[in-house]
Amino acid sequence: MYKRLNKYISDTGHCSRREADKLIESKRVKVNGNSPELGTKIGPEDKVTVDGKLINAVAEDKSDRVYIAYNKPVGITCTTERKVQGNIIDAISYKQRIFPIGRLDKPSEGLILLTSDGDIVNKILRAENAHEKHYRVIVDKLVTDSFIQGMSNGVPILDTVTKPCEVRRAGKFGFDIILTQGLNRQIRRMCEYFGFAVTRLTRKRIMHIDLKGLKPGAYRHLSAEEMKVMNKALEGSSKTVVQ
């Protein structure tokens, strides 16, 4: 079975497809000793190297891929750039190369998934796949009925209007919100529209995976049952990469 070179590299967990394209363009990738073009397709017999190091193909049954749930503390940055102080890769210090699925702002905390499986990254990130993310938010003012209603109905930010979503009060200064979008700093911008400032933001759940039993700064591997449910939920999802 043949696959595009950037997908071949991404599937191994070495980097994202976009980053793989940059490696190819900068001539750091060789296929059978030669510099390939973007869009080159790779077969089982081909040898791929990055900076002279052999990149081995992933197992077809995904048995060699890693799936991790991490409780990100405030101050950790969701980047694979090791030069960035407080990057998530150094924070976890996992033995195998992994990368985060999406991101969680540096001032925010809670659940983020990491993996070496490029296909799952792309499927989960597709907004139209409508995979839920549950957040607990604390703000600087008393939460009112009108605020809850306004957040639920959709808020004009970033030249668009957010999708209607489920919002529930959680104490005098808090609320729970369930999103299927992932706009840049979406919850903070939504709150700012109504004159509220977020003082604490915690992601508690992604799809069916939650933070239960996971202390801040700790990670765990997804269970077989969690993977079974995830794969079932992603069966109809697009693999198109989010730009």
Side-chain angles (χ1 to χ4, degrees):
M1 180 179 178
Y2 287 81
K3 65 174 67 174
R4 289 173 65 94
L5 178 56
N6 62 354
K7 184 179 188 316
Y8 178 96
I9 296 172
S10 173
D11 282 352
T12 68
H14 186 84
C15 61
S16 69
R17 292 194 204 184
R18 185 179 296 178
E19 290 169 336
D21 283 337
K22 292 179 181 177
L23 291 175
I24 296 166
E25 288 177 332
S26 60
K27 307 297 183 183
R28 294 170 60 187
V29 178
K30 302 288 185 183
V31 176
N32 303 322
N34 301 311
S35 295
E37 297 180 355
L38 289 173
T40 294
K41 291 191 175 181
I42 301 300
E45 72 284 355
D46 292 314
K47 302 296 182 184
V48 179
T49 61
V50 176
D51 295 332
K53 295 182 179 179
L54 186 65
I55 300 293
N56 293 315
V58 296
E60 286 301 319
D61 63 359
K62 297 189 177 184
S63 60
D64 58 348
R65 303 188 197 187
V66 177
Y67 308 91
I68 287 173
Y70 174 56
N71 190 347
K72 185 190 90 67
V74 171
I76 298 300
T77 302
C78 292
T79 179
T80 57
E81 293 291 333
R82 306 296 286 274
K83 62 185 178 183
V84 175
Q85 187 173 4
N87 70 79
I88 194 170
I89 303 303
D90 285 342
I92 295 178
S93 191
Y94 194 73
K95 59 186 177 182
Q96 187 173 336
R97 191 180 181 101
I98 54 175
F99 41 88
I101 301 176
R103 66 190 308 274
L104 197 55
D105 290 339
K106 186 176 180 178
S108 303
E109 60 190 312
L111 181 63
I112 186 163
L113 306 179
L114 297 98
T115 184
S116 59
D117 184 352
D119 279 346
I120 270 192
V121 173
N122 300 329
K123 290 177 181 179
I124 291 177
L125 290 184
R126 289 291 287 182
E128 54 264 49
N129 290 331
H131 304 309
E132 290 186 349
K133 296 179 289 291
H134 179 183
Y135 300 83
R136 168 67 55 84
V137 187
I138 307 299
V139 290
D140 64 339
K141 299 179 183 178
L142 286 171
V143 172
T144 62
D145 290 341
S146 60
F147 171 73
I148 293 291
Q149 189 64 41
M151 292 284 284
S152 301
N153 290 339
V155 182
I157 61 170
L158 298 173
D159 300 320
T160 187
V161 177
T162 61
K163 292 181 179 180
C165 60
E166 182 180 346
V167 183
R168 301 189 302 269
R169 190 191 305 271
K172 292 182 178 180
F173 295 90
F175 64 93
D176 285 346
I177 182 169
I178 297 175
L179 299 181
T180 55
Q181 284 179 294
L183 301 177
N184 184 33
R185 297 174 66 84
Q186 180 172 344
I187 295 173
R188 296 179 189 275
R189 293 178 190 274
M190 290 170 72
C191 290
E192 287 169 4
Y193 179 82
F194 294 105
F196 288 70
V198 172
T199 61
R200 186 174 185 179
L201 193 158
T202 306
R203 184 156 62 196
K204 302 178 68 177
R205 176 174 63 83
I206 298 173
M207 299 172 67
H208 58 291
I209 302 162
D210 60 37
L211 279 177
K212 290 177 182 176
L214 201 57
K215 296 179 180 179
Y219 72 84
R220 64 173 177 81
H221 293 272
L222 299 191
S223 68
E225 182 60 26
E226 285 173 326
M227 288 306 305
K228 180 179 178 181
V229 174
M230 177 182 286
N231 287 327
K232 181 68 176 177
L234 295 176
E235 277 182 356
S237 294
S238 166
K239 295 182 182 180
T240 305
V241 181
V242 176
Q243 300 298 325

